[in-house]
Amino acid sequence: MKRLYTPEKMAQWKKRARVSGGAVCALMAAALAACVYLCAQVRTGNAGRMLRYVIGLFTLSGWVSIVLLRFCYRPAQAEYRHMAGILAGETEEHAGTVAWLPGAFSIPKSITIRKAILTKEDGETETLNVDVRLADTMPPSGAAVRLETVRKYITAYEVQHE
């Protein structure tokens, strides 16, 4: 069975979130220190120029921080929290034929998922989810699989060969 979630991957996402969060804090602290330094250098003749420097520096650092938060810290933190919840959850086993639905959607303040329909041997269907980052590793639509899930998220799979 191929496992999609491991404690090692969870630790990597935790480290990535911690590093990117620290980078944002360091950037803002450095920008504040630079602005304080520039403000201490103001004289009557250079006040207008120093004001433009301070405004430009803090605006630029603010936008860079927003980009880091949006595209590095928050996704890493969401992946870490998701993995921690999945690894702590109770697993269930399923078997059947998997069919992938087109597209993916983002859960607010969490991960982006892709839906799958599992058709069991008795004809019953069940809707399951997979993290979109892991969807490329999954077997194609129509494959006979055995799955492990936690809270309707696919955590492990094995392709059944008949």
Side-chain angles (χ1 to χ4, degrees):
M1 187 139 314
K2 181 174 180 184
R3 302 256 171 240
L4 300 175
Y5 297 91
T6 63
E8 294 80 23
K9 287 181 186 176
M10 183 184 72
Q12 288 175 342
W13 282 108
K14 183 178 183 179
K15 182 179 179 184
R16 188 176 295 175
R18 192 175 62 243
V19 167
S20 59
V24 169
C25 291
L27 173 65
M28 291 309 292
L32 179 62
C35 287
V36 168
Y37 174 77
L38 290 173
C39 288
Q41 303 303 314
V42 173
R43 304 289 177 259
T44 305
N46 68 358
R49 186 181 55 206
M50 289 296 192
L51 176 64
R52 285 191 301 275
Y53 289 166
V54 168
I55 291 172
L57 175 66
F58 223 67
T59 301
L60 180 64
S61 63
W63 279 107
V64 170
S65 295
I66 289 169
V67 167
L68 284 174
L69 283 172
R70 172 67 176 95
F71 296 107
C72 295
Y73 175 74
R74 286 188 181 153
Q77 188 69 15
E79 283 288 339
Y80 163 68
R81 286 182 180 158
H82 171 72
M83 282 191 176
I86 292 295
L87 289 173
E90 194 69 32
T91 63
E92 298 177 19
E93 287 208 16
H94 307 277
T97 304
V98 69
W100 297 100
L101 297 178
F105 69 92
S106 180
I107 300 170
K109 296 187 179 182
S110 188
I111 63 168
T112 302
I113 63 168
R114 186 162 177 205
K115 295 257 184 204
I117 304 290
L118 181 70
T119 306
K120 297 181 181 178
E121 291 160 7
D122 60 0
E124 215 178 299
T125 62
E126 189 168 355
T127 304
L128 301 172
N129 306 314
V130 68
D131 187 339
V132 78
R133 294 179 198 265
L134 304 170
D136 292 342
T137 65
M138 299 298 294
S141 286
V145 294
R146 192 167 60 98
L147 304 172
E148 284 186 5
T149 63
V150 173
R151 297 186 334 243
K152 300 223 178 228
Y153 285 95
I154 299 171
T155 60
Y157 72 91
E158 181 176 55
V159 177
Q160 301 293 309
H161 299 286
E162 297 180 21

